[in-house]
Amino acid sequence: MNNSMEQRSDDPTANFSEADLDGNRRHFGEALRRAGWLVPAPGGGPEGLGDAPESVVEGLNRLVRRTAGDVEAEAPQRVRFPGINAFELLQRTDYVASFPQLLGAIATFDGETGDHRRLLRRLEAGEDWADELTRRDYAMVSAACHPLYRALEGTDQDRRVYELVGDCFRDEPSPDPMRRESFRMHEIVTFGDERHCLDFRGRWLEAAHQVLTGLGLQVEIAAANDPFFGRAGKMLASGQRAAELKFEILTEVYPGHQTAIASANYHQGHFGEAFTITAGSDAAHTACAGFGLERIALSLAAQHGTDTRRWPEHVRDSLGLG
């Protein structure tokens, strides 16, 4: 991805091969760890981010917020939800029906002393002790905007716009550093009629494209679909793509392989109907624009190198990295 004629010592794409996607993913991860961009977690859990990428993520949040001030007539209302929410939310949003392979529920221990002793015996014996836990009424949030719909249930939200930064979880483990099970999304969400939502999505597709190209990334916009589960999911995915409900902004970190780093989606009346949210006298339609913060940060490392002090001045200025 780095098009510099001179090979830089901080270029995490230095060992990439045109034909070895798995090898490229491995080399990228190794380079990011050596540079302190990725921090390995004990037990093979999701990796953390080091100081440099965290500074980039903070700068991206500020940049998206400034962009929202330019794109929208009024500044969006900021809302923050935790990375867990009611288990019921997975059902209300149709996530269980559409994406059961991605969800994560929370289980805890609520037994007595004897139950604990049995758990410890199984632990010491190296046995699986997970069935000693009980599923709680909480689950991991899979999309930052989902708790917002539940919070606004039964209200009128015509032409309202909200801004959220949230932690998301999707159970899709991968050796690819660009695909994280736990990640952050910066989303801008609106409610209204069809025309309002489509206009909103169009504005944000253009704005997101400008933001990302302004940071030196080579991107393109393409119609896309969500990873619906099963045979019926294939039909849902085909319908979503045919109706152009979802667009992704893609960049090429690995040669010949594109990765989505942002998206803009039109949900029609799905969430308005599910949560009795109105826009005037009708069920609200919704649309959102989402920026994958870690993915964008790692894409910038692939493009400009892992030493942010050497990034182009206009990129450093845009992200406040001075």
Side-chain angles (χ1 to χ4, degrees):
M1 185 171 179
N2 194 322
N3 295 318
S4 172
M5 294 294 292
E6 179 183 355
Q7 189 65 61
R8 294 177 50 169
S9 60
D10 68 329
D11 179 5
T13 69
N15 294 318
F16 279 8
S17 165
E18 291 289 334
D20 186 4
L21 177 58
D22 289 339
N24 292 339
R25 288 168 169 164
R26 184 177 64 256
H27 289 312
F28 191 44
E30 291 170 351
L32 293 171
R33 292 180 197 102
R34 286 195 303 270
W37 272 62
L38 292 182
V39 181
E47 294 181 292
L49 293 188
D51 182 72
E54 272 300 295
S55 296
V56 173
V57 167
E58 291 170 359
L60 288 168
N61 279 324
R62 291 190 296 266
L63 178 56
V64 173
R65 191 163 297 129
R66 291 197 303 272
T67 302
D70 295 334
V71 171
E72 299 300 322
E74 297 183 8
Q77 181 175 336
R78 293 171 61 183
V79 186
R80 179 76 166 92
F81 292 99
I84 62 172
N85 210 285
F87 189 83
E88 165 208 34
L89 188 65
L90 292 173
Q91 302 164 201
R92 299 283 301 280
T93 58
D94 275 350
Y95 211 85
V96 176
S98 299
F99 314 108
Q101 77 279 20
L102 301 181
L103 63 83
I106 294 176
T108 63
F109 178 76
D110 65 353
E112 303 294 338
T113 301
D115 302 312
H116 186 223
R117 291 196 187 101
R118 183 176 63 249
L119 185 155
L120 290 177
R121 285 196 299 271
R122 296 176 65 178
L123 175 65
E124 292 168 358
E127 300 174 358
D128 184 1
W129 50 270
D131 59 359
E132 301 287 350
L133 305 179
T134 302
R135 184 185 68 76
R136 313 309 300 176
D137 291 330
Y138 292 100
M140 308 299 289
V141 171
S142 299
C145 59
H146 284 180
L148 177 66
Y149 307 126
R150 177 64 180 86
L152 299 177
E153 184 167 16
T155 64
D156 186 87
Q157 296 292 322
D158 193 17
R159 296 179 178 269
R160 298 289 299 275
V161 181
Y162 293 84
E163 176 192 354
L164 308 95
V165 179
D167 295 283
C168 305
F169 171 85
R170 295 177 190 174
D171 185 24
E172 43 184 358
S174 170
D176 183 359
M178 295 291 289
R179 302 193 67 85
R180 300 168 61 88
E181 291 173 276
S182 178
F183 57 92
R184 284 167 287 184
M185 291 291 294
H186 194 142
E187 294 198 40
I188 312 294
V189 183
T190 195
F191 301 79
D193 60 16
E194 178 181 8
R195 185 71 266 157
H196 168 77
C197 290
L198 288 174
D199 287 345
F200 171 93
R201 186 183 66 176
R203 291 197 308 274
W204 273 99
L205 268 177
E206 180 180 354
H209 187 276
Q210 290 178 352
V211 164
L212 297 170
T213 56
L215 294 174
L217 296 177
Q218 300 173 32
V219 299
E220 66 176 64
I221 298 172
N225 60 266
D226 290 310
F228 294 100
F229 181 77
R231 183 177 301 174
K234 293 181 180 179
M235 293 186 289
L236 290 172
S238 177
Q240 185 183 38
R241 187 179 287 267
E244 296 188 332
L245 301 179
K246 181 181 184 69
F247 284 91
E248 291 179 335
I249 301 181
L250 309 164
T251 194
E252 189 175 289
V253 170
Y254 309 113
H257 182 83
Q258 293 182 315
T259 302
I261 57 176
S263 65
N265 310 311
Y266 171 46
H267 314 122
Q268 299 177 309
H270 176 74
F271 295 115
E273 293 168 3
F275 294 95
T276 323
I277 303 171
T278 56
S281 58
D282 300 317
H285 286 219
T286 59
C288 72
F291 296 81
L293 296 172
E294 284 89 356
R295 284 192 182 185
I296 296 173
L298 298 188
S299 298
L300 289 169
Q303 179 63 44
H304 301 305
T306 54
D307 186 350
T308 58
R309 297 170 299 180
R310 300 173 63 182
W311 286 12
E313 185 175 354
H314 74 277
V315 176
R316 289 176 51 79
D317 289 344
S318 294
L319 297 176
L321 297 178

